[in-house]
Amino acid sequence: MKENYAPLYEALMNNINKKPISFHVPGHKYGRVFPKEFSPGFETILKFDATEVRGLDDLHAPEEAIKEALQLASDFFQSKETFFLVNGTTVGNLAMILSVCQPGDEIIVQRNCHKSVLNGLELAGASPVFIAPRYERETGRYSSILAKDVEEALSRHPNSKAVFLTYPDYFGSTYDLESIADIVHHSNLPLLVDEAHGVHFHLGETFPKSALASGADVVVQSAHKMSPAMTMASFLHIGGDRIDAEGIRHYLQILQSSSPSYPLMASLDLARFYMASWGNRERKELRQFTKNVRSILDSYDHLFTVKPSHLNVDPLKLTLEAEACSGYELAEALDAVGIVPEMATSEQVLLVLGLGPSLDLTDLNQRLGSLEWQLKNSSNHATIKENHLPLPVVQNLEYSYFDMRKMMVEKVDWSDAAGYVAAEAIIPYPPGIPMIMKGERISESHYQKVTALIKQGARFQNKEIEQGIRVFKGE
């Protein structure tokens, strides 16, 4: 097989060129049945939006073009087997957990995981043991998982079925995953990794070491985040013998759509093609582009500080530390001048670059020139810098998911919430990482952190969060 070949994309092009008369789904009939006034925006992609007709294969039983595309992806990522995901990394996280956990089984999980991991734990009825990342001054965040903390959790919970980590974090920070993999494997357990933001680490030099190369047994990657795939398109890779591949396949068939999107799958094929074709010329071009963007941003150090680059941080993630305002206020001001950031926290703003030059540097500089005026004239949100939330190194939930299903729930004001056990997760979005987990006892620090973020204008995936939180009755 040739790396410079995209078999699924080619199969779709062959199908288009045959000009088929469709007596099958989908109902838009390759764009022929569609609101005419909106056709110009959709007409190209609708021609690719096919179904399992002859020549286009079947994701759930691949034998032709999809099988070949999967093998090319496996060869590139050096996995034992690779799967295409059309329901995002979310479905990969769910499948990983369900494949290793029976109801009541313990599993060690990184505390600052994505909400989909917690949803998987609840669906499996697992008994999670959470380990917290350590605070790092250079990042200003809880970024680093220590091998000794994983070792302690395994020692205290020897019957755990797996270890589930997030690598890198949303801001691109990594840690010594290789040493952790050795510890996990010494206990003969699989290491599962949500590498949503690290698909490009397989390009080697310039980027941190990938999870698969570090010894992870199963890895899920959001191809759409850092490579040129469409939103919701992800990879799942099996890297070792400690996981049942058939179990993963079984749960992916249960959880994924039986009518998978061909444009999404083709974009995975093309993202792999793009990365496999990425070489020294592209690497040099990207390094220079990243250096130029950082230089322009550094010239506005009276408004924000660009966090320094480190070997263990993805160079495509640029973190701005707000100087005279909150991170949320800085993000709003950037958005107002047409510079759209990925996300904000109370103190920082995250900018994400792609694998190639994607913007005009002169235009960027001109828009940043309007930023100071925008900040002066923006509405003044609360700019207090709240204390960082203390996290226990090893933590269990107060109740099992099974017990929580049977418990009565009520809503209380935030001022009265401390001491209760949360009946819902409190999730700032982005990044979609729960600040308070369902089943976790609410502390005074939780109350102060949430109310500070509400004042600063943070977005939450919780309805009417200002009015309080749902807790378990009788606490």
Side-chain angles (χ1 to χ4, degrees):
M1 295 183 185
K2 297 180 180 179
E3 288 187 345
N4 60 350
Y5 172 55
L8 183 52
Y9 172 79
E10 294 293 340
L12 285 165
M13 283 302 301
N14 289 336
N15 187 62
I16 291 170
N17 291 334
K18 288 191 295 186
K19 298 181 179 179
I21 297 174
S22 172
F23 282 100
H24 56 78
V25 298
H28 60 69
K29 305 298 181 182
Y30 297 108
R32 293 184 179 92
V33 181
F34 203 74
K36 294 295 184 286
E37 60 269 37
F38 302 114
S39 288
F42 271 85
E43 60 185 355
T44 300
I45 196 67
L46 291 176
K47 292 178 181 178
F48 286 89
D49 189 31
T51 190
E52 292 88 349
V53 296
R54 184 181 297 276
L56 294 187
D57 211 354
D58 181 347
L59 176 65
H60 297 295
E63 296 179 338
E64 300 170 321
I66 294 176
K67 181 180 180 180
E68 193 174 358
L70 290 170
Q71 185 59 55
L72 284 168
S74 180
D75 293 343
F76 172 73
F77 289 103
Q78 297 183 337
S79 68
K80 291 192 67 176
E81 187 169 2
T82 290
F83 296 85
F84 285 173
L85 307 182
V86 294
N87 297 73
T89 288
T90 289
V91 77
N93 286 339
L94 297 178
M96 283 196 291
I97 292 170
L98 289 167
S99 70
V100 298
C101 286
Q102 299 293 322
D105 282 346
E106 288 189 323
I107 178 173
I108 294 168
V109 180
Q110 185 170 329
R111 169 64 178 82
N112 59 330
C113 60
H114 189 261
K115 63 176 184 174
S116 61
V117 178
L118 297 179
N119 291 339
L121 296 171
E122 185 168 354
L123 286 173
S127 180
V129 177
F130 294 102
I131 52 174
R134 299 295 184 120
Y135 183 78
E136 292 183 310
R137 288 190 179 276
E138 61 239 27
T139 63
R141 300 184 308 276
Y142 288 89
S143 304
S144 181
I145 291 290
L146 300 184
K148 68 177 183 179
D149 293 339
V150 175
E151 197 165 26
E152 178 187 348
L154 285 168
S155 176
R156 288 166 57 174
H157 300 272
N159 295 321
S160 297
K161 299 299 183 182
V163 174
F164 194 113
L165 301 180
T166 302
Y167 172 100
D169 71 2
Y170 209 108
F171 288 78
S173 293
T174 63
Y175 47 84
D176 187 2
L177 187 62
E178 199 165 7
S179 294
I180 292 173
D182 290 341
I183 290 169
V184 175
H185 293 160
H186 184 72
S187 297
N188 199 30
L189 294 179
L191 174 60
L192 317 178
V193 177
D194 176 352
E195 197 180 26
H197 288 260
V199 67
H200 58 306
F201 288 1
H202 289 272
L203 295 173
E205 180 191 352
T206 302
F207 304 109
K209 195 169 187 178
S210 72
L212 274 177
S214 299
D217 296 286
V218 191
V219 176
V220 184
Q221 301 165 330
S222 296
H224 62 94
K225 283 185 167 63
M226 300 303 296
S227 73
M230 292 177 67
T231 299
M232 289 179 65
S234 294
F235 295 111
L236 184 148
H237 310 291
I238 295 180
D241 296 322
R242 295 175 183 85
I243 198 75
D244 178 15
E246 289 306 314
I248 294 283
R249 194 186 320 277
H250 169 70
Y251 282 107
L252 286 178
Q253 290 204 12
I254 290 176
L255 296 166
Q256 293 214 96
S257 171
S258 59
S259 300
S261 164
Y262 275 84
L264 291 187
M265 290 189 288
S267 78
L268 286 168
D269 194 20
L270 293 172
R272 184 274 315 157
F273 174 93
Y274 179 89
M275 288 187 288
S277 305
W278 207 82
N280 288 331
R281 181 177 62 82
E282 289 80 9
R283 192 183 307 278
K284 290 177 182 177
E285 186 178 42
L286 180 63
R287 281 176 174 166
Q288 187 60 52
F289 173 71
T290 304
K291 181 180 178 180
N292 291 342
V293 171
R294 183 177 282 273
S295 177
I296 291 171
L297 293 170
D298 281 336
S299 67
Y300 292 87
D301 57 2
H302 58 295
L303 300 178
F304 50 75
T305 300
V306 186
K307 299 293 280 185
S309 179
H310 296 285
L311 289 176
N312 65 335
V313 177
D314 181 359
L316 300 186
K317 299 291 185 72
L318 303 180
T319 301
L320 310 183
E321 188 90 32
E323 292 295 331
C325 60
S326 74
Y328 299 110
E329 194 170 12
L330 176 59
E332 284 190 6
L334 286 166
D335 202 310
V337 299
I339 300 171
V340 185
E342 170 65 19
M343 66 164 288
T345 67
S346 60
E347 300 174 17
Q348 298 179 340
V349 173
L350 175 63
L351 308 180
V352 179
L353 301 178
L355 282 172
S358 57
L359 55 90
D360 182 279
L361 296 173
T362 301
D363 185 33
L364 173 64
N365 198 24
Q366 289 175 344
R367 295 187 190 209
L368 285 169
S370 305
L371 187 61
E372 188 166 13
W373 179 89
Q374 186 64 40
L375 282 169
K376 285 180 179 178
N377 290 275
S378 64
S379 58
N380 186 30
H381 292 140
T383 58
I384 57 172
K385 308 260 182 170
E386 80 279 0
N387 293 328
H388 293 285
L389 189 65
L391 297 171
V393 175
V394 181
Q395 176 187 9
N396 296 86
L397 298 179
E398 296 292 327
Y399 302 107
S400 70
Y401 289 116
F402 179 78
D403 288 338
M404 284 189 270
R405 290 178 188 176
K406 301 181 291 184
M407 297 174 69
M408 300 292 290
V409 174
E410 62 180 331
K411 192 160 190 172
V412 298
D413 292 334
W414 279 108
S415 57
D416 299 322
Y420 282 97
V421 174
E424 63 177 327
I426 300 300
I427 307 172
Y429 194 86
I433 296 170
M435 180 179 300
I436 302 174
M437 298 181 292
K438 181 179 179 179
E440 182 176 16
R441 194 169 296 279
I442 303 165
S443 66
E444 186 67 25
S445 296
H446 283 133
Y447 161 63
Q448 293 173 358
K449 177 86 172 179
V450 171
T451 52
L453 290 178
I454 291 172
K455 288 178 182 177
Q456 290 182 335
R459 293 168 53 204
F460 288 82
Q461 288 192 327
N462 299 83
K463 187 178 180 181
E464 299 176 339
I465 188 171
E466 297 89 350
Q467 298 177 18
I469 180 174
R470 296 169 69 245
V471 299
F472 289 113
K473 213 168 183 177
E475 279 292 315

